[in-house]
Amino acid sequence: MSLVIRSYPGNRNMDKALIAAKFGKGDLKFETPPFAMMTDNKTPEFLAKNPVGKVPVLDTPEGSIFESNAIARYVARKSDLALLGTTDIEIAHIDQWTEFYTHEFEAGLFAILPHIFGRNKFEKDSQFNAEIQKIKKSLAVLEYWFSHDASRQFIAINRVTIADIILVVGLNAAFEFVVGEESRKEYPKTIEYVDRLMATEQFSSVLKKNWKTEDAKF
């Protein structure tokens, strides 16, 4: 099946779907035609696919999809249904950690990144620091989760799921742009979890480890 990614090159939110595809049999093929932000995403043709005007959008033979988590779930269904859970309780546990990522961790991360990249700068360092604390609070939750059960290898159930894929993509971005080496030492079990998954072929073929040495500054 041929799938077309509508986005600027290197959009990290597409990494979730690309990793999910690695769990399949290689049946999915991704095309990435040239895409100009602030031009192509403003056209009537693009807005008919995503009225928000944001990327990524995935064109499939069945229709177009926006929102990166929805795209990742679609690809998971086409690659390996086990990534989404096979029982009601597995699905619920996967959903709860995906929701945690979206509403707790990602909220802080996506507030910080535009500031770091020079867009939508915070006016006060207190605003910046408040978002940093959101990220570190979420990291503390993850550290507790992996610390209080030494046998836990994955976030939701006893194997890799879409929740792990979504979470590790976000954590890798946070460690590259926001959370420096000294701060990461506070979360050894979380780092161990990320390192373990990023060492697998499915993750390592998509993600690169370029982690910061110092915390991001206002």
Side-chain angles (χ1 to χ4, degrees), residues 179-212:
V179 184
E181 185 175 3
E182 285 301 311
S183 292
R184 292 196 299 272
K185 291 178 180 178
E186 300 176 28
Y187 317 107
K189 293 297 183 181
T190 305
I191 299 300
E192 182 181 309
Y193 159 74
V194 176
D195 279 341
R196 183 170 58 252
L197 289 185
M198 286 186 63
T200 66
E201 181 180 354
Q202 293 93 339
F203 283 80
S204 65
S205 60
V206 176
L207 298 181
K208 305 304 176 188
K209 186 176 179 179
N210 297 304
W211 293 359
K212 284 180 65 68

Side-chain angles (χ1 to χ4, degrees), residues 1 17 20-21 23-24 28 62 65 69-85 91 95 162:
M1 178 186 290
F23 285 84
L28 301 181
E62 300 168 290
I65 311 165
N69 287 350
I71 292 170
R73 290 190 186 98
Y74 174 86
V75 171
R77 289 186 185 95
K78 299 297 184 182
S79 302
D80 183 355
L81 275 173
L83 291 172
L84 301 172
I91 293 168
D95 286 348
I162 197 68

Side-chain angles (χ1 to χ4, degrees), residues 3 8 46 54 56-57 70 72 75 86 129 137 140 147 154 165 177-179 186 195-196 201 205 208 213:
L3 305 171
Y8 57 85
F46 185 88
K54 293 183 178 181
V57 163
V75 171
T86 58
N129 291 331
K137 181 180 178 181
S147 297
F154 308 101
I165 294 172
F177 296 109
V178 181
V179 184
E186 300 176 28
D195 279 341
R196 183 170 58 252
E201 181 180 354
S205 60
K208 305 304 176 188
T213 55

Side-chain angles (χ1 to χ4, degrees), residues 131-150:
E131 299 303 331
I132 290 285
Q133 290 309 308
K134 287 181 184 178
I135 294 172
K136 291 188 174 182
K137 181 180 178 181
S138 295
L139 288 171
V141 170
L142 294 172
E143 187 64 20
Y144 171 79
W145 186 246
F146 288 113
S147 297
H148 91 281
D149 183 349

Side-chain angles (χ1 to χ4, degrees), residues 108-127:
L109 180 63
F110 278 20
I112 286 285
L113 291 181
H115 174 91
I116 292 173
F117 297 151
R119 308 186 302 270
N120 300 326
K121 301 281 284 186
F122 292 115
E123 295 182 0
K124 300 178 180 179
D125 61 356
S126 59
Q127 295 171 306

